[in-house]
Amino acid sequence: MTGDSTRAVRAGLPVAEAYEPSLPGPVFAAHYHLPGDATGPYTYGRESNPTWTRLESAIGELESPDAPAQTVSFASGMAAISAVLFSCLRNGDAVVLPDDGYQLLPAVRERLESYGVEVRTAPTAGDAQLDVLDGARLLWIETPSNPGLDVCDVRRLAAAAHARGVLVAVDNTLATPLGQRPLDLGADFSVASGTKALTGHGDVLLGYVTTRDAALADSVRMWRKTVGAIPGPMEAWLAHRSLATLALRVRQQSAGALALAEALRARPEVTGLRHPGLPTDPAHEIALRQMREGRFGNVVSFTLPGRAHAERFLAALTLVDDATSFGGVRSSAERRGRWGGDAVPEGFIRFSVGVEESADLIADVTAALDAALTAGEAV
């Protein structure tokens, strides 16, 4: 079984039994029958759950189809990120983070530093994190970065890190395991928010960590048990159900994002256009080497001439939700600067392409851009 669609549809399913569903329903249990010694696969609801097991097996098959791997699921992407950082790092350790990554990383930095961890930062582009790697315990990579869509060379960074005894974690949220396999590129951890494209319907909060190192998996799992950052069984079941359409969604969304990016190139009011699939994008060459089968993600970023112009554009869209997050089946866009925490211009737009027909979406965006210009001229 080698095809991504086939793997996504079948991953994590139990052995077929007569008259039983192919994907059993969620198991809602705080405790289990447990005679004798406290051993076995299912002992208490904060430690294990059959619904998690199936989902974790499925994600492991997608992240690492050619080598055994273990996945640990979490209540959110930030819970997964925190589990890797706080299970690996101790007082006196150093960690390297991207300075252009997800907007909560500065809050994570503050917490790490309060525990005596040295935090170093560098941009994603140009593999700049190499310059601050010596003596670190962990390198955290986000590629493509969110929201700027820069890309770094995971193979190069992982090789350099391992030569120095440094662990490597890659945030694979934007790419998904069908677009990029960090473990194959040399990373120790592949981490993601399953809230985004993995589940794809905007109705689940979820995170996960996948690793081929059993000791690292045990450490992350113990962190989850200790802090109780567990996914709900319903969320885990919904996520597993959604995996069946992952390949279809990734294919449609990636094609739509590239088509939208190409269309935006013709707009003079659009600056700073980024999408790794564009041949003109500064990240394109590296993305070609490490992202799979032309799947460069569903996010396009660009800048309009100021806050008011960006808000007029967003208000004029009819097929696009003005919402945060990305990776959903319905297109969404937002003026990213409204949150603070991201070093972006006031008119910066992060646009998440859904599964709508590309022609319809481009027509809607074009009309909204025209309306924003016309309204601006009238002011």
Side-chain angles (χ1 to χ4, degrees), residues 11-63:
L13 298 183
V15 175
E17 293 186 35
Y19 318 118
E20 293 295 323
S22 56
L23 178 61
V27 174
F28 299 100
H31 58 266
Y32 306 85
H33 290 296
L34 189 63
D37 293 336
T39 59
Y42 305 109
T43 57
Y44 185 65
R46 182 167 34 82
E47 184 167 1
S48 54
N49 179 290
T51 311
W52 305 349
T53 299
R54 286 187 284 268
L55 172 65
E56 291 168 351
S57 174
I59 293 174
E61 289 180 45
L62 299 180
E63 285 279 358

Side-chain angles (χ1 to χ4, degrees), residues 144 149 151 274-279 281 283-285 287-288 291 296 299:
L149 302 183
V151 172
R274 296 299 304 271
H275 180 67
L278 281 174
D281 191 276
H284 184 65
E285 184 179 342
L288 275 177
M291 299 184 77
F296 299 108
V299 177

Side-chain angles (χ1 to χ4, degrees), residues 104-118:
L104 271 181
L105 287 182
V108 171
R109 173 180 185 162
E110 182 178 337
R111 183 63 59 186
L112 288 168
E113 289 177 337
S114 76
Y115 294 153
V117 175
E118 178 191 352

Side-chain angles (χ1 to χ4, degrees), residues 94 133-139 158-168 188:
L133 199 55
D134 286 349
R137 165 66 178 161
L138 175 68
L139 167 63
H162 291 156
R164 295 165 169 81
V166 182
L167 292 170
V168 179
D188 300 289

Side-chain angles (χ1 to χ4, degrees), residues 96-102 105-106 120-124 129 139-142 145:
V96 178
L97 302 179
D99 64 12
D100 55 346
Y102 181 53
L105 287 182
R120 307 169 187 169
T121 62
T124 297
Q129 290 171 299
L139 167 63
W140 188 273
I141 297 170
E142 191 177 297
S145 62

Side-chain angles (χ1 to χ4, degrees), residues 146-348:
N146 172 29
L149 302 183
D150 273 318
V151 172
C152 60
D153 189 331
V154 177
R155 287 187 184 90
R156 182 186 181 206
L157 285 165
H162 291 156
R164 295 165 169 81
V166 182
L167 292 170
V168 179
V170 175
D171 187 327
N172 203 36
T173 301
L174 198 145
T176 83
L178 299 193
Q180 181 173 267
R181 292 184 184 144
L183 302 183
D184 287 349
L185 299 173
D188 300 289
F189 298 99
S190 182
V191 187
S193 168
T195 307
K196 311 297 193 297
L198 189 87
T199 55
H201 292 80
D203 54 9
V204 171
L205 286 173
L206 193 87
Y208 71 86
V209 176
T210 302
T211 178
R212 291 172 180 167
D213 186 310
L216 293 177
D218 287 344
S219 180
V220 168
R221 194 175 290 110
M222 179 55 73
W223 176 266
R224 178 182 69 179
K225 177 182 176 181
T226 303
V227 302
I230 59 173
M234 190 66 192
E235 285 78 6
W237 184 85
L238 285 168
H240 197 172
R241 176 214 60 177
S242 298
L243 290 182
T245 61
L246 178 60
L248 304 178
R249 290 186 279 109
V250 166
R251 189 177 304 127
Q252 177 80 354
Q253 290 170 305
S254 296
L258 182 56
L260 176 62
E262 291 282 6
L264 289 170
R265 291 175 64 188
R267 301 293 305 207
E269 75 273 33
V270 169
T271 59
L273 176 64
R274 296 299 304 271
H275 180 67
L278 281 174
T280 54
D281 191 276
H284 184 65
E285 184 179 342
I286 298 174
L288 275 177
R289 296 200 300 265
Q290 68 188 26
M291 299 184 77
R292 302 183 56 247
E293 302 176 27
R295 298 169 185 172
F296 299 108
N298 74 310
V299 177
V300 179
S301 68
F302 56 95
T303 300
L304 294 173
R307 175 174 180 165
H309 194 120
E311 290 181 347
R312 291 195 302 270
F313 164 70
L314 292 170
L317 293 165
T318 61
L319 296 180
V320 182
D321 296 335
D322 190 346
T324 195
S325 198
F326 56 86
V329 292
R330 290 174 292 279
S331 291
S332 63
E334 68 171 341
R335 191 182 64 81
R336 191 63 185 165
R338 65 182 176 175
W339 295 98
D342 290 316
V344 296
E346 285 291 331
F348 181 93

